[in-house]
Amino acid sequence: MTDTNTLLVTSLEEGIGKTAITLALATRAHDAGYDVGYMKPKGTRLRSAVGKTRDEDPMLARELLDLETDLHEMEPIVYSPTFIQEAIRGREDPDDLRERLQESIETCSEGTDMLLVEGSSDLATGSIVDLTDIDIAELLDARVLLVTGYDTASDTDEILSAARAIGDRLDGVLFNGVTDATVDELADDVVPFLESEGIPVHGILPRDRALAGVTVADLARSLGADILTGDANTDIHVERFSVGAMSGSSALERFRRTRDAVVVTGGDRSEVQTAALEASGIKALLLTGGFQPPSAVIGQATEKNVPVLSVQSDTRTTIDRVEEVLRTGQTRNEATVDRMRTLLDDGVDIETLLSIDL
């Protein structure tokens, strides 16, 4: 391996901010004058374009870091469902994959001072071809940053287990998306415990509304939904969904207890749609079945600046898709990375984390 300063950023769950953190660190070093490379060995956030399936994160990294590296080098393994099936059937040779990955590592690190490597959303991904993040860290001779959330003290078991599995390559743990309700317990009890176990903690980043959930525009794009209210604000964030499967009066009572939500309901359920528009916590309507709502609903939604989306799929299928989009988190973009840079500057000693002078 090269003498490049290499940091692999891995995590314990999807949607925890791993991409934003990786790219925020990379752009911070880049703007300080360092030559920074990026790669994501296993592409899992897949999108089909121009006949090819690629992960969107290397595309964003290429843009933000002014890289000329080919995307297939930045993402040598497209870890798609098809790839997984082929690997299980013995049609993907781990030795060939390791050789391909090694070549990409050399390409992405060539001429760089630092290489930021985005890992997977858990330490198990890649096991079927012997290329977990721990395996890749060995290939890279990389330090490892473990990004995790925190909800309850029981999360400490998983964090401690992951830290021990990573072993001496662990550079430390970074908590992200921590709520006000849990930050004191984390700071006062869990962090000292982890440090007493020899596990460094780089910081605690707060939950930030600008990074939570997805925008309505992102949701519409992910679902292939039509936007029926052309002038409504689709940049607003939604963090959860509520299903409108009850009567109008019961729906209104429920919707009033909900915040920052999209209501998923049949396009023919006008009474539920009207109830949703009466609740301030409902930020968008997602209508299923391809039905067109009454013009009165569209008019009311337009007046209240609430986007109305429409999909052809049934309500059950749509709920599953919405749940997946919300679980995996918002589309990463330059604004997301900029906001994460601010949080990191405020809460983390970046020089120590990156082992550079800024």
Side-chain angles (χ1 to χ4, degrees), residues 56-106:
E56 292 183 322
D57 298 330
M59 300 180 196
L60 179 58
R62 199 168 185 266
E63 175 185 346
L64 295 180
L65 298 171
D66 301 319
L67 298 174
E68 296 182 359
T69 313
D70 291 337
L71 284 172
H72 75 274
E73 298 285 6
M74 298 171 70
E75 179 213 89
I77 300 171
V78 179
Y79 210 80
S80 65
T82 300
F83 173 89
I84 294 170
Q85 285 288 351
E86 292 296 282
I88 291 171
R89 293 167 181 162
R91 296 171 186 164
E92 293 286 353
D93 187 325
D95 291 334
D96 289 346
L97 292 171
R98 185 173 288 259
E99 183 176 344
R100 184 198 312 171
L101 177 56
Q102 187 69 61
E103 291 172 355
S104 293
I105 290 168
E106 296 296 334

Side-chain angles (χ1 to χ4, degrees), residues 217-259:
D218 289 339
L219 180 63
R221 181 185 62 79
S222 298
L223 300 178
D226 294 323
I227 301 175
L228 305 183
T229 46
D231 295 331
N233 178 19
T234 57
D235 289 333
I236 194 166
H237 283 73
V238 290
E239 300 178 24
R240 56 190 61 84
F241 67 92
S242 183
V243 181
M246 66 295 285
S247 66
S249 58
S250 298
L252 179 57
E253 181 179 350
R254 178 176 176 180
F255 294 155
R256 281 176 171 165
R257 297 195 300 267
T258 303
R259 293 291 177 267

